[in-house]
Structure formats: C-alpha cells, structure tokens
DNA sequence: TATTGTTATACTCTATAACTATA
DNA sequence: TATAGTTATAGAGTATAACAATA
C-alpha cells in the first residue's frame, strides 16, 4: 500500500470547499430558480444592478469576477424576462447602460431578502467572530495576496 | 432604489464559497488533468481506493458523497487508462471489487503528495487553529447537524 | 490597434430516469 | 421487491477563440 497513510481527502480543502459550495448553492438555488426561473449568473447580475444601480456589462463582469461572455448571455435572458433594460451609451456606442426594470427591482428586493435570510440560517450556528474569520479566509483563497 | 442598501453579494457566503472552491479547484486541477488527463470524479475515486484499498463502487459513492452514475463513469475511464481493475465479487455477483493497479498506485502516491503540498500552500498564510476552524465550519455546512 | 459586447463551440459537471443483472 | 451498477439524456456551468461594431 501507500506510505502516506495520514492523508485524508475528507480533510482536503478543495474537496471541502467544493462540497460546501455545492450544498449552499443548491439550497439557495431553490429561491431564484423555482420562483423566477433564473440561473446563477443571472441572479448575480441582478444583485449587482440592484445594489449599484446603472452599470455596463463590463462593470458587472469586473465586480462579479465573471467572464463577459457569461454576463452577455445572462443579460440577454434577463432582458427577455423583462428584469432589465439596456440602452446604448451615446458617448461611447460600444457600451450599454444596464438597469433593472420595476419588475427587476421587485425581484431583487425579494431575492436579496431571501439571500440575507439564507446567509443567517447557515451562519446561525457559528459565533460572529467565526463567521467573520470564515469570510476573511475565503476572500484570501479567492484573491491570494 | 432599494431600501436594503447594506446587503453585499461580495459577503454572501454561497458566493464566496463558490469562488473559493472554483479557484482552488482550478489550481489543483492542473496536477491531475495536465499530468494524467483525469477529471474531478476520477481523482476522487483514485484517492479513495488509494487510501482505503479495495472498495466497491457503492462504498466509494457513499464515502465520496458522489452519485453512483458519476462513479460508474469515472471507474470506466480509470479502467481504460489502466489505473484500476475490477473483479466481480463471487459472493454477490452484482458487486465489483475495485482496486488500483501498480500504475494507479503510483499515480495516487504522486497526486496525494501534490494534494498535500497544495493544501499546505493555501493554508500556509493562516494559523493552524484558523485552518482547523475553517475545516470544521465547512464540514458543518456540508452536513448541517 | 484596442475595447465592448456577441456568437460559436467544446468540454466539464450535475441530475434523473430507465434499464440490466443479480439477489 | 430491492440493490449494484450502467446507459441515455438534458441541463447547467465553464473556457476560449473568433467576430462585429465602435473607439
């Protein structure tokens, strides 16, 4: 057999992160998927427009750390569902100013509340200091300094 | 605009978990993908067989918390790549006993070392107690008590 | 030449149902 | 009837290159 008997995949961080992310993703998906038929990138776009107001696709792409092709498709779908509108920037006609429709804003308010509730649910069992540390560590894993 | 100005998707746990998981996953993928052409479920199977020796697909499925259809395909691929062999259990001919080949064991040893190195790399900047807490919290998110 | 956004394409991953063969 | 494993299929997510329009 192997000499490295102490290594345990069940303790391997990429594995734990993947399982935890998948679990939480599935849980929260039930809000935006079943209620609004949205996909992951779509609610991310909605969240950004809801929080920051008018943005270009590029802005969202940078903020959400999501590739422009994903954003492009999500925007297209959200427009089709009447959750956002876009208008060409007259000063630079390559860009489009994206903003939520009234309907989109309602969806944002609803989802944002659901997100906050869900976040509370899963952090409930931990101390505030522990949750703060968790977030800090995750951010550091995402963006190694 | 919205009244809930304090909600920030950049602090939303499912979002942070997903980004961190994706980042780590990509990093570690370079080991098993580029070197051995393996996919995620494949190295998970290799890791389990490497650690626990002979197992059935069902055992792996339970241990790895991975659906049997994924395991089935991964096993098929690993067999094709000559990383594992299977033999029907004579006592219950529905089951197959899976085990790594000599080649598979070498791959396991190599990947396991790489995994440990990678795990050290990303936990290096944190205190041991912090890493322990991180793992504990991730496990609790995966399996809410 | 560079940038914004789109389209095409391929690959990976996930989820589910239907199936086989055995028990 | 139940279980181990397979196959088919669709949906979701990701990655990249090539492109049009504009700057």
């Amino acid at each position: 057999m192997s000499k490295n008997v102490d290594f345990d995949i069940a303790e391997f961080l990429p594995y734990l992160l993947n399982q935890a992310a998948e679990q939480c993703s599935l849980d929260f998906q039930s809000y935006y998927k079943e209620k609004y038929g949205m996909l992951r990138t779509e609610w991310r776009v909605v969240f950004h427009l809801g929080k920051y107001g008018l943005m270009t696709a590029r802005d969202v792409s940078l903020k959400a750390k999501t590739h422009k092709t994903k954003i492009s498709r999500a925007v297209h779908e959200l427009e089709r569902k009447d959750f956002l509108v876009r208008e060409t920037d007259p000063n630079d006609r390559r860009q489009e100013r994206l903003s939520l429709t009234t309907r989109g804003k309602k969806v944002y308010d609803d989802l944002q509340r659901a997100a906050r509730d869900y976040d509370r649910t899963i952090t409930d069992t931990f101390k505030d200091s522990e949750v703060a540390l968790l977030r800090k560590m995750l951010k550091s894993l995402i963006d190694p300094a």
Side-chain angles (χ1 to χ4, degrees), chain A:
Chain A
M1 272 297 112
S2 173
K3 339 115 212 198
N4 305 287
V5 287
D6 60 302
F7 180 79
D8 188 354
I9 187 181
E11 299 291 322
F12 188 38
L13 263 189
Y15 175 79
L16 289 172
L17 284 166
N18 175 268
Q19 301 274 105
E22 213 171 274
Q23 184 60 53
C24 294
S25 207
L26 270 181
D27 288 346
F28 186 60
Q29 203 185 45
S30 60
Y31 286 93
Y32 60 82
K33 186 170 185 182
E34 284 166 28
K35 204 161 173 186
Y36 302 106
M38 290 167 83
L39 300 182
R40 189 188 290 174
T41 311
E42 293 173 33
W43 74 253
R44 280 191 188 166
V45 171
V46 167
F47 270 52
H48 281 84
L49 294 181
K51 182 172 172 67
Y52 299 104
L54 195 145
M55 298 173 88
T56 68
R58 186 175 174 276
D59 294 337
V60 178
S61 177
L62 290 176
K63 266 275 184 197
K65 293 177 206 283
T66 304
H67 196 272
K68 62 178 182 174
T69 55
K70 296 184 201 173
I71 302 294
S72 173
R73 286 174 220 279
V75 164
H76 200 267
E77 258 307 289
L78 291 169
E79 187 185 36
R80 198 187 62 74
K81 286 168 186 154
D82 193 31
F83 291 160
L84 67 72
V85 288
R86 41 180 168 183
E87 45 181 38
T88 306
D89 180 344
N91 300 323
D92 182 342
R93 302 187 53 236
R94 287 173 306 183
Q95 296 183 48
E96 283 180 332
R97 305 180 170 279
L98 309 172
S99 54
L100 294 181
T101 58
T102 307
R103 192 166 168 220
K105 278 176 195 158
K106 274 187 196 133
V107 172
Y108 169 69
D109 280 341
D110 182 40
L111 280 185
Q112 176 260 86
R113 206 171 296 116
R116 199 184 309 188
D117 288 350
Y118 178 66
D119 203 272
R120 277 197 195 117
T121 304
I122 60 181
T123 56
D124 233 16
T125 54
F126 307 121
K127 295 179 202 149
D128 285 356
S129 62
E130 291 176 332
V131 176
L133 179 62
L134 175 60
R135 288 195 221 274
K136 200 194 91 186
M137 293 177 86
L138 291 175
K139 285 180 200 166
S140 140
L141 288 172
I142 295 165
D143 268 317

